Amino acid sequence: MEQLKKKACFDNLYMRKEYRIAKGWEIFIWICLPLLMILFLYLGIMPYLEEKVNVTLAIILTPFALGLEFLLILGLIDTKKNKLIIEKERIISVGVFKTKSLLIKNIKGFKVDKNYLFYFSKNENEKKIKVSRYVGGFGELLSWSQQFFDDLDVEEFKNDEQKILENRAYGMTPKERADNLLKAKKTTKIINVISWMVALSTWFFPKYYQIQIILCGMLPIIGLIIFKSSKGLIRLDEKPNSPYPNIHSTLIIPSLTLLIRALTDFQILDYSGLWVPVSTLVLVIGYIIMNDAYVHYNFKKGSTYLTLLGVFMLGSSYAYGLIITTNGAFEEADPLVYDVGILSKRISKGKTTSYYLELEKWGPQNEIDEVSVSKNIYNSKEVGDKAVVYFNTGLYKIPYFFVIQ
């Protein structure tokens, strides 16, 4: 009887209805995307505007600009053409390249994330239909979906939670498993919050530099120990609606902070001593994370290989950041000081503004080189002035330098 009532209600409400991108977003896209197209067009032809064509720059920028132009054109076409049609017996998604449809009676349920609403078919061979949150009337569409279809996120959460409570690896009794799940959630919440606090303070207020670098280096290791000791209860990363607690922030945020500090605080003169320790650390981290990957990951899915790529990028960021920052932060030898003549100045403007000085040869730097400096140093110097360069061999014999004034 309930299903009949729902069907009657559906028949009355949705004989046919179309959902397109909201008008405000459509106007915004039609203003911004053409402006971006002009910008990338300029980037593509910029190398050819010089009296002497910069071949290297042309090889890099031209394909990059053409690719982005193509994507922006697709975005404009998609804005004009894309729509979702709800009919009495089916829903239809019209896109740039293809049109997909699902029979109402064959819809298994829906899922929602921060960007899209997805409809899934009972037939696994049929592809899902996705709808952007930026369509006009999205709230109405979501309400309709909740009324007529199962929320698969809720079902998956219940199923995963039930699997946890039935898994003897997490405790001998259901109560013990539930207690361990609650304890794991509290533990991950605490260490994730601590990781954010340490990372942000290191990023913006590096007053206690050595201590902050040590903490940023230790937190991902502690996170990995917690992950390995949880026997699969704690995940490295997990979808938002999962009952499994995760340590995503503990691994990612301190690692990125170390990378940022390494890139901004130290200019490396010779990288040859860097690759062995970084490669070794990346391999160790990769092994710790993935040595039992066959238990948790399906290698027939493309998403598993994206996970492997993510692990490699995470390990590389952490290893490079940790090696470079500790190489400089814990160097005990006094630096060698050089007064170096300034040959030219340059400002680079993009998403951020960078300041550069071209310096004469100095000490072990046997070539004229351009170095990045702070805005204050840049403004205080003129061509022909002297810049003071501090040079150190580094704790791990990775030589670095920086301009102090």
Side-chain angles (χ1 to χ4, degrees):
M1 180 62 73
E2 184 65 27
Q3 292 298 322
L4 290 175
K5 286 182 180 180
K6 282 188 175 183
K7 185 179 185 306
C9 180
F10 173 78
D11 290 344
N12 290 332
L13 285 176
Y14 288 96
M15 295 300 293
R16 180 182 172 88
K17 188 156 186 176
E18 291 188 5
Y19 292 88
R20 294 178 178 270
I21 190 166
K23 206 65 181 174
W25 280 107
E26 184 178 4
I27 294 171
F28 176 79
I29 289 171
W30 278 99
I31 292 174
C32 290
L33 262 59
L35 292 175
L36 288 173
M37 290 172 67
I38 294 171
L39 171 63
F40 291 124
L41 178 63
Y42 171 74
L43 282 177
I45 65 174
M46 185 175 66
Y48 307 97
L49 299 178
E50 302 290 336
E51 186 174 332
K52 183 179 179 181
V53 175
N54 188 326
V55 177
T56 303
L57 200 60
I59 292 172
I60 295 172
L61 283 183
T62 301
F64 175 73
L66 288 174
L68 288 175
E69 288 287 336
F70 177 71
L71 291 176
L72 291 171
I73 290 170
L74 286 183
L76 289 175
I77 297 173
D78 185 66
T79 301
K80 182 68 176 176
K81 188 175 181 181
N82 193 291
K83 61 183 176 181
L84 181 78
I85 304 170
I86 296 181
E87 296 182 343
K88 184 176 180 180
E89 294 184 348
R90 69 180 64 237
I91 60 174
I92 304 165
S93 174
V94 180
V96 176
F97 297 111
K98 63 174 65 175
T99 297
K100 294 185 287 187
S101 69
L102 287 177
L103 291 173
I104 297 292
K105 64 180 181 181
N106 286 343
I107 294 178
K108 178 182 179 181
F110 72 94
K111 291 184 179 181
V112 185
D113 65 17
K114 61 182 180 181
N115 295 314
Y116 294 100
L117 167 64
F118 299 91
Y119 294 104
F120 293 84
S121 173
K122 295 175 183 176
N123 182 356
E124 292 184 357
N125 295 324
E126 286 189 290
K127 292 186 177 180
K128 62 180 179 288
I129 286 178
K130 68 177 183 180
V131 188
S132 171
R133 278 185 173 270
Y134 301 110
V135 300
F138 181 82
E140 175 189 78
L141 185 61
L142 179 59
S143 177
W144 171 74
S145 302
Q146 292 168 336
Q147 184 177 358
F148 290 100
F149 307 114
D150 292 330
D151 186 334
L152 299 181
D153 281 326
V154 173
E155 288 190 6
E156 285 186 10
F157 183 93
K158 291 179 180 177
N159 290 337
D160 287 344
E161 190 172 50
Q162 189 61 34
K163 287 179 183 178
I164 292 173
L165 297 178
E166 292 175 355
N167 192 333
R168 288 182 175 273
Y170 307 142
M172 295 305 297
T173 66
K175 184 180 184 308
E176 186 179 352
R177 294 164 208 154
D179 290 342
N180 286 336
L181 177 60
L182 182 61
K183 187 186 300 183
K185 287 181 177 180
K186 289 180 179 179
T187 300
T188 54
K189 184 177 181 179
I190 290 171
I191 194 169
N192 284 335
V193 169
I194 292 173
S195 297
W196 271 103
M197 292 172 63
V198 169
L200 289 175
S201 68
T202 306
W203 196 342
F204 294 108
F205 308 104
K207 186 176 180 181
Y208 304 100
Y209 196 87
Q210 290 183 325
I211 295 174
Q212 290 168 308
I213 292 300
I214 290 173
L215 290 175
C216 282
M218 288 177 58
L219 282 166
I221 300 301
I222 294 171
L224 286 178
I225 293 172
I226 293 172
F227 160 70
K228 297 301 290 187
S229 63
S230 72
K231 301 178 182 179
L233 181 58
I234 293 174
R235 304 295 174 92
L236 298 180
D237 190 16
E238 195 63 38
K239 52 183 182 274
N241 295 317
S242 171
Y244 290 95
N246 70 77
I247 52 167
H248 176 263
S249 294
T250 300
L251 297 184
I252 299 292
I253 305 305
S255 299
L256 288 180
T257 301
L258 287 173
L259 178 63
I260 291 167
R261 290 258 61 106
L263 294 174
T264 56
D265 296 346
F266 304 96
Q267 300 196 57
I268 305 303
L269 186 66
D270 182 5
Y271 286 91
S272 59
L274 175 67
W275 305 122
V276 171
V278 167
S279 300
T280 302
L281 197 50
V282 169
L283 290 174
V284 170
I285 292 171
Y287 176 77
I288 292 173
I289 294 175
M290 304 301 294
N291 70 328
D292 58 350
Y294 62 90
V295 176
H296 302 293
Y297 299 99
N298 182 357
F299 284 87
K300 294 181 179 179
K301 291 185 177 181
S303 58
T304 297
Y305 296 94
L306 289 177
T307 300
L308 290 173
L309 177 61
V311 169
F312 173 76
M313 293 176 65
L314 168 67
S316 299
S317 299
Y318 174 80
Y320 181 89
L322 183 66
I323 296 297
I324 292 297
T325 53
T326 54
N327 177 71
F330 296 95
E331 167 66 75
E332 294 183 353
D334 293 331
L336 298 176
V337 183
Y338 297 91
D339 290 327
V340 186
I342 298 172
L343 301 176
S344 65
K345 301 171 62 177
R346 179 174 69 88
I347 298 176
S348 175
K349 292 186 177 180
K351 289 185 177 180
T352 60
T353 301
S354 300
Y355 303 88
Y356 297 94
L357 298 178
E358 187 180 42
L359 302 180
E360 295 176 337
K361 300 176 184 178
W362 55 269
Q365 177 61 280
N366 53 18
E367 296 179 357
I368 293 174
D369 193 26
E370 190 176 61
V371 299
S372 174
V373 296
S374 68
K375 181 180 179 179
N376 290 337
I377 291 177
Y378 181 90
N379 289 334
S380 68
K381 298 295 182 181
E382 298 297 335
V383 174
D385 290 349
K386 296 287 185 178
V388 179
V389 175
Y390 272 28
F391 170 79
N392 280 91
T393 55
L395 180 65
Y396 310 126
K397 307 306 177 187
I398 303 170
Y400 67 94
F401 68 95
F402 47 87
V403 179
I404 64 166
Q405 64 181 26

